[in-house]
Amino acid sequence: MRLNQCQNFHDFRRMAQQRLPGPIFNYIDGAADDETTYRRNTDAFESCDLVPDVLRGVENVDMSVTVMGQKLALPVYCSPTALQRLFHHDGERAVAAAAGKFGTMFGVSSLGTVSLEEARQISGGPQVYQFYFHKDRGLNREMMARAKTAGVQVMMLTVDSITGGNRERDKRTGFAIPFRLNLAGIAQFAAKPAWAINYLTHERFRLPQLDTHVDMGGGAMSISRYFTDMLDPAMTWDDVAAMVQEWGGQFCLKGIMSVDDAKRAVDIGCTGIVLSNHGGRQLDGSRSAFDQLAEIVDAVGDRIDVMMDGGVQRGTHVLKALALGAKAVGLGRYYLFPLAAAGRPGVERALEQMRVEIERAMKLMGCRTVGELGRRQLRFR
């Protein structure tokens, strides 16, 4: 399959599957337990229908939004995700460049494979730093200070990952960072030698945000031990409130799913929340973010910017979330599969397809601006 043959999310996924060794493809594609929540994330959009208006004079469409003080040319952004150079040697560099080209926001993870500073130089668009809460409070302060120096506009604390989800696909192949593959996993890598050649002929794989804490050479600490040994499961609202005050700028919590938690985020001074179940990778059986969106927007949408991610595969999915009151919508696998398939050209093709789909759908809905989308144009089955 060639890049110019990819017309939608599923095409990019197939191309990525052809290129990647099985353990790495399944790391992106997999989720927790029975993967029920993973499937529900996309199915939730299909239980909601659009009701278009006609004859509204929509020759020109403005897709821009402002979220957490950042002006985006598109109502979607590239959510921070880990280990991107494992999928393609360009990794976060490709995503930062593509996001900059389309005038939208992108994120770098604590487990990112390119430094905050380098990513900031690549893209002129707004940058998010996604981080985890560590037992070492000094490390938390150090990470925020580094982000501020790098020019990061938005801090995004992930709050749904105090322990790792049960990802059984990874267990079957022995996938881990550093690699500790079983025979089944090794055989799947051997079947895709082009990936291995690419991996070995480019710069050493590392985690620049955590170089002094996680040893990618198999020594001090693996990624799984990072989650179990370094992150603090005793994190409380008081801890986060202190970080919000210390940052003193745009601060977002990713992984909020209940009205009560959304209200607490407002109370401690957050400027944004992302409704998210981590792509179905943490608590299986969790509601989808789209299913929770309306009640949380009704509760706090006038006091904090509400975003969502999970399961987004089409421009119409984005329109449904915006019509319910989301300020912007995060993309994850939607750009990771194109990244794995073709690097920066893949991400750019995917974002261009999303841009075209949103523009087309807004015209067909009779909406000239995102602000004209509303719940009167939705019906739930």
Side-chain angles (χ1 to χ4, degrees):
M1 189 172 211
R2 297 190 304 273
L3 182 60
N4 62 7
Q5 296 174 304
C6 293
Q7 304 299 330
N8 58 38
F9 170 85
H10 303 287
D11 291 342
F12 287 117
R13 180 181 176 276
R14 278 191 291 272
M15 188 172 173
Q17 189 170 19
Q18 290 170 1
R19 179 182 174 273
L20 292 175
I24 296 179
F25 173 79
N26 282 305
Y27 172 77
I28 302 174
D29 193 56
D33 294 344
D34 298 312
E35 303 190 351
T36 304
T37 294
Y38 178 21
R39 293 188 296 274
R40 177 61 194 162
N41 280 349
T42 297
D43 290 345
F45 293 105
E46 309 311 328
S47 63
C48 173
D49 298 325
L50 295 165
V51 182
D53 295 324
V54 298
L55 303 176
R56 292 302 198 273
V58 285
E59 181 180 1
N60 297 308
V61 166
D62 179 4
M63 293 175 278
S64 66
V65 295
T66 299
V67 59
M68 292 183 295
Q70 314 307 310
K71 180 73 178 288
L72 313 184
L74 298 175
V76 295
Y77 62 92
C78 296
S79 295
T81 57
L83 309 180
Q84 290 181 18
R85 286 192 56 243
L86 198 61
F87 318 140
H88 188 279
H89 62 269
D90 286 339
E92 290 87 351
R93 297 180 182 112
V95 178
K101 178 178 178 179
F102 284 86
T104 194
M105 187 165 67
F106 74 102
V108 175
S109 168
S110 292
L111 298 173
T113 51
V114 169
S115 72
L116 288 172
E117 294 81 3
E118 183 179 356
R120 179 68 273 149
Q121 293 171 358
I122 292 171
S123 174
Q127 181 174 337
V128 170
Y129 179 37
Q130 174 272 328
F131 70 115
Y132 298 101
F133 191 86
H134 300 88
K135 294 174 183 174
D136 182 346
R137 302 302 197 264
L139 175 58
N140 293 333
R141 288 190 293 271
E142 175 189 314
M143 294 171 88
M144 287 201 297
R146 177 175 175 179
K148 188 162 287 187
T149 301
V152 168
Q153 288 92 341
V154 179
M155 291 297 283
M156 181 181 282
L157 176 66
T158 296
V159 293
D160 62 2
S161 301
I162 57 172
T163 188
N166 178 38
R167 301 171 194 174
E168 294 175 357
R169 293 204 216 181
D170 294 345
K171 291 180 176 179
R172 292 190 188 100
T173 62
F175 177 83
I177 299 294
F179 290 138
R180 286 180 173 81
L181 300 169
N182 57 28
L183 285 175
I186 291 170
Q188 291 180 53
F189 269 81
K192 300 287 174 67
W195 179 91
I197 292 168
N198 216 327
Y199 180 80
L200 294 171
T201 55
H202 286 85
E203 68 195 273
R204 182 176 66 88
F205 184 88
R206 63 192 192 94
L207 301 176
Q209 277 65 251
L210 291 169
D211 260 352
T212 57
H213 303 282
V214 180
D215 185 349
M216 301 310 296
M221 184 172 291
S222 67
I223 292 287
S224 60
R225 280 193 57 211
Y226 166 76
F227 276 92
T228 56
D229 293 0
M230 289 187 65
L231 301 192
D232 191 352
M235 171 176 60
T236 68
W237 284 100
D238 289 340
D239 294 319
V240 179
M243 299 186 79
V244 172
Q245 293 303 311
E246 186 167 343
W247 175 251
Q250 301 289 339
F251 199 105
C252 176
L253 298 186
K254 179 178 180 291
I256 297 295
M257 287 294 286
S258 73
V259 167
D260 285 346
D261 284 348
K263 290 178 177 177
R264 292 290 292 272
V266 173
D267 291 342
I268 66 170
C270 292
T271 56
I273 53 174
V274 181
L275 312 192
S276 175
N277 54 42
H278 217 99
R281 296 164 74 80
Q282 287 297 97
L283 177 65
D284 196 33
S286 169
R287 290 266 283 176
S288 79
F290 184 73
D291 285 333
Q292 288 296 92
L293 184 55
E295 63 184 76
I296 291 178
V297 167
D298 287 345
V300 300
D302 59 339
R303 293 180 288 161
I304 196 170
D305 285 347
V306 179
M307 295 153 281
M308 67 141 288
D309 65 31
V312 177
Q313 298 178 2
R314 286 287 187 186
T316 48
H317 295 167
V318 175
L319 258 63
K320 290 173 182 180
L322 297 172
L324 278 181
K327 290 290 180 68
V329 176
L331 307 175
R333 292 180 179 94
Y334 182 87
Y335 76 82
L336 286 179
F337 286 132
L339 172 66
R344 177 178 173 179
V347 180
E348 289 184 355
R349 183 173 176 87
L351 289 178
E352 172 62 12
Q353 288 180 359
M354 178 60 77
R355 187 197 68 77
V356 169
E357 287 188 15
I358 293 172
E359 181 179 40
R360 180 192 301 120
M362 285 181 65
K363 287 181 176 179
L364 293 174
M365 287 294 293
C367 295
R368 289 165 298 221
T369 67
V370 171
E372 291 180 2
L373 289 163
R375 294 188 194 178
R376 65 179 187 78
Q377 297 161 307
L378 301 178
R379 296 292 185 277
F380 285 85
R381 297 177 196 166

